[in-house]
Amino acid sequence: MDDNYQGWSAQKKDYYLPEGKSLTKDIQFNGNTYYIAGELTITNFWGQGGKIVVMPGGKLNYPSPMPLHGFEILNYGEFNVINGSKLTINTGASLMTSGDLEVDEVYVSGVLYVGGRLSVQKADALQFKQDTHQNQVDIFTSDTFVILC
Protein backbone atom coordinates (compact mmCIF):
# COMPACT_ATOMS: atom_id res chain seq x y z
CA MET A 1 0.00 0.00 0.00
CA ASP A 2 1.29 3.41 -0.94
CA ASP A 3 0.07 6.80 -2.13
CA ASN A 4 -1.04 5.19 -5.42
CA TYR A 5 -3.61 2.99 -3.63
CA GLN A 6 -7.15 3.87 -4.73
CA GLY A 7 -9.85 2.43 -2.45
CA TRP A 8 -12.56 2.59 -5.09
CA SER A 9 -10.59 0.29 -7.39
CA ALA A 10 -8.95 -2.02 -4.84
CA GLN A 11 -8.54 -5.59 -6.02
CA LYS A 12 -9.49 -8.62 -3.93
CA LYS A 13 -6.04 -9.35 -2.51
CA ASP A 14 -3.81 -8.70 0.49
CA TYR A 15 -2.35 -5.24 1.03
CA TYR A 16 0.60 -4.34 3.25
CA LEU A 17 1.52 -0.94 4.72
CA PRO A 18 5.16 -1.20 5.82
CA GLU A 19 6.68 0.06 9.03
CA GLY A 20 7.60 3.75 8.89
CA LYS A 21 4.96 4.57 6.24
CA SER A 22 1.83 6.64 6.94
CA LEU A 23 -1.24 6.70 4.74
CA THR A 24 -4.60 8.51 4.95
CA LYS A 25 -7.10 6.92 2.56
CA ASP A 26 -10.57 5.55 1.85
CA ILE A 27 -10.43 1.76 1.69
CA GLN A 28 -12.44 -0.92 -0.08
CA PHE A 29 -13.54 -4.25 1.39
CA ASN A 30 -14.34 -7.05 -1.04
CA GLY A 31 -12.66 -9.95 0.69
CA ASN A 32 -9.27 -8.26 0.92
CA THR A 33 -6.99 -8.16 3.95
CA TYR A 34 -4.97 -5.14 5.01
CA TYR A 35 -1.80 -5.73 7.07
CA ILE A 36 -0.74 -2.56 8.83
CA ALA A 37 2.83 -2.25 10.16
CA GLY A 38 2.93 1.53 9.60
CA GLU A 39 0.13 4.03 10.32
CA LEU A 40 -3.19 3.96 8.44
CA THR A 41 -5.86 6.62 8.90
CA ILE A 42 -9.15 5.54 7.35
CA THR A 43 -11.30 8.38 5.99
CA ASN A 44 -14.11 6.18 4.65
CA PHE A 45 -14.73 2.61 3.51
CA TRP A 46 -16.89 0.67 1.07
CA GLY A 47 -17.91 -2.95 0.80
CA GLN A 48 -17.88 -5.87 3.20
CA GLY A 49 -16.08 -9.11 3.84
CA GLY A 50 -12.58 -7.94 4.63
CA LYS A 51 -10.11 -7.78 7.44
CA ILE A 52 -7.60 -5.32 8.89
CA VAL A 53 -4.69 -6.77 10.85
CA VAL A 54 -2.74 -4.18 12.81
CA MET A 55 0.70 -5.67 13.35
CA PRO A 56 2.79 -5.07 16.52
CA GLY A 57 4.14 -1.52 16.16
CA GLY A 58 1.42 -0.62 13.62
CA LYS A 59 -1.29 1.98 14.17
CA LEU A 60 -4.86 2.27 12.88
CA ASN A 61 -6.85 5.51 13.19
CA TYR A 62 -10.55 4.80 12.71
CA PRO A 63 -13.08 7.63 12.17
CA SER A 64 -15.88 8.22 14.65
CA PRO A 65 -18.86 7.88 14.37
CA MET A 66 -18.58 5.60 11.28
CA PRO A 67 -19.64 2.09 12.43
CA LEU A 68 -17.68 -1.08 11.75
CA HIS A 69 -19.91 -3.02 9.39
CA GLY A 70 -19.21 -6.31 7.60
CA PHE A 71 -15.49 -6.63 8.35
CA GLU A 72 -13.14 -7.41 11.22
CA ILE A 73 -10.20 -5.68 12.85
CA LEU A 74 -7.53 -7.72 14.63
CA ASN A 75 -5.32 -5.32 16.57
CA TYR A 76 -1.88 -6.26 17.91
CA GLY A 77 -0.60 -2.69 17.71
CA GLU A 78 -2.42 0.59 18.38
CA PHE A 79 -6.09 1.33 17.60
CA ASN A 80 -7.44 4.88 17.93
CA VAL A 81 -10.89 6.32 17.34
CA ILE A 82 -10.55 9.77 15.77
CA ASN A 83 -12.98 12.65 15.11
CA GLY A 84 -14.71 12.02 18.42
CA SER A 85 -14.72 9.00 20.64
CA LYS A 86 -17.80 6.93 19.70
CA LEU A 87 -17.28 3.38 18.47
CA THR A 88 -20.11 1.31 16.97
CA ILE A 89 -19.63 -2.34 16.00
CA ASN A 90 -22.56 -3.61 13.96
CA THR A 91 -23.77 -7.19 13.52
CA GLY A 92 -21.36 -9.05 11.25
CA ALA A 93 -18.37 -6.95 12.34
CA SER A 94 -15.75 -7.50 15.02
CA LEU A 95 -12.95 -5.68 16.76
CA MET A 96 -10.48 -7.78 18.71
CA THR A 97 -7.61 -6.01 20.39
CA SER A 98 -4.79 -7.54 22.39
CA GLY A 99 -4.19 -4.34 24.35
CA ASP A 100 -6.18 -1.58 25.98
CA LEU A 101 -9.07 0.32 24.41
CA GLU A 102 -10.18 3.78 25.49
CA VAL A 103 -13.33 5.36 24.04
CA ASP A 104 -16.07 7.58 25.45
CA GLU A 105 -18.92 5.46 24.06
CA VAL A 106 -19.10 1.95 22.61
CA TYR A 107 -22.17 0.33 21.03
CA VAL A 108 -21.92 -3.35 20.13
CA SER A 109 -24.20 -5.67 18.20
CA GLY A 110 -21.24 -7.53 16.66
CA VAL A 111 -18.17 -8.73 18.57
CA LEU A 112 -15.81 -6.73 20.78
CA TYR A 113 -12.91 -8.38 22.59
CA VAL A 114 -10.44 -6.34 24.63
CA GLY A 115 -7.43 -8.29 25.90
CA GLY A 116 -6.32 -5.44 28.15
CA ARG A 117 -8.28 -2.72 29.90
CA LEU A 118 -11.45 -1.21 28.44
CA SER A 119 -11.95 2.38 29.52
CA VAL A 120 -15.39 3.61 28.50
CA GLN A 121 -17.94 6.05 29.92
CA LYS A 122 -20.97 4.54 28.19
CA ALA A 123 -21.32 0.98 26.85
CA ASP A 124 -24.29 -0.78 25.30
CA ALA A 125 -24.39 -4.29 23.85
CA LEU A 126 -27.61 -4.86 21.97
CA GLN A 127 -28.92 -7.63 19.82
CA PHE A 128 -32.33 -7.00 18.27
CA LYS A 129 -34.59 -10.05 18.19
CA GLN A 130 -36.89 -9.70 15.20
CA ASP A 131 -39.41 -12.25 16.43
CA THR A 132 -40.10 -10.59 19.80
CA HIS A 133 -39.05 -7.00 19.04
CA GLN A 134 -37.08 -6.89 22.29
CA ASN A 135 -33.52 -5.91 23.04
CA GLN A 136 -31.25 -8.46 24.68
CA VAL A 137 -28.14 -7.24 26.46
CA ASP A 138 -25.21 -9.57 27.20
CA ILE A 139 -22.21 -8.02 28.92
CA PHE A 140 -19.46 -10.19 30.39
CA THR A 141 -16.93 -8.66 32.76
CA SER A 142 -13.84 -9.88 34.58
CA ASP A 143 -10.34 -8.46 34.69
CA THR A 144 -10.95 -8.00 31.01
CA PHE A 145 -14.18 -6.45 29.75
CA VAL A 146 -15.59 -8.59 26.94
CA ILE A 147 -18.77 -7.94 24.99
CA LEU A 148 -20.03 -10.76 22.79
CA CYS A 149 -23.47 -10.67 21.18
Side-chain angles (χ1 to χ4, degrees), residues 10-138:
Q11 302 294 316
K12 182 179 177 179
K13 66 177 191 175
D14 293 347
Y15 291 89
Y16 178 73
L17 181 63
E19 183 178 353
K21 299 288 185 183
S22 294
L23 197 59
T24 299
K25 289 282 187 179
D26 294 356
I27 62 172
Q28 169 80 329
F29 290 108
N30 58 1
N32 26 355
T33 300
Y34 296 87
Y35 295 94
I36 310 303
E39 180 176 357
L40 175 63
T41 300
I42 296 174
T43 51
N44 199 355
F45 72 87
W46 292 274
Q48 296 185 30
K51 182 187 303 186
I52 298 174
V53 180
V54 183
M55 309 298 288
K59 182 176 182 179
L60 177 62
N61 299 309
Y62 191 84
S64 172
M66 187 172 23
L68 276 75
H69 181 77
F71 63 94
E72 68 178 323
I73 297 174
L74 304 175
N75 178 45
Y76 303 99
E78 185 177 337
F79 176 84
N80 296 307
V81 178
I82 58 172
N83 304 329
S85 190
K86 177 181 174 183
L87 179 62
T88 302
I89 303 168
N90 286 341
T91 301
S94 63
L95 169 62
M96 298 182 189
T97 183
S98 62
D100 298 339
L101 180 63
E102 184 174 340
V103 292
D104 291 340
E105 300 176 44
V106 64
Y107 301 93
V108 180
S109 61
V111 176
L112 172 63
Y113 172 81
V114 179
R117 180 175 173 262
L118 175 62
S119 176
V120 62
Q121 295 176 12
K122 183 176 182 182
D124 199 0
L126 298 175
Q127 183 175 15
F128 186 75
K129 293 183 147 188
Q130 293 180 351
D131 55 331
T132 61
H133 301 290
Q134 296 176 347
N135 289 326
Q136 176 184 359
V137 178
D138 295 316

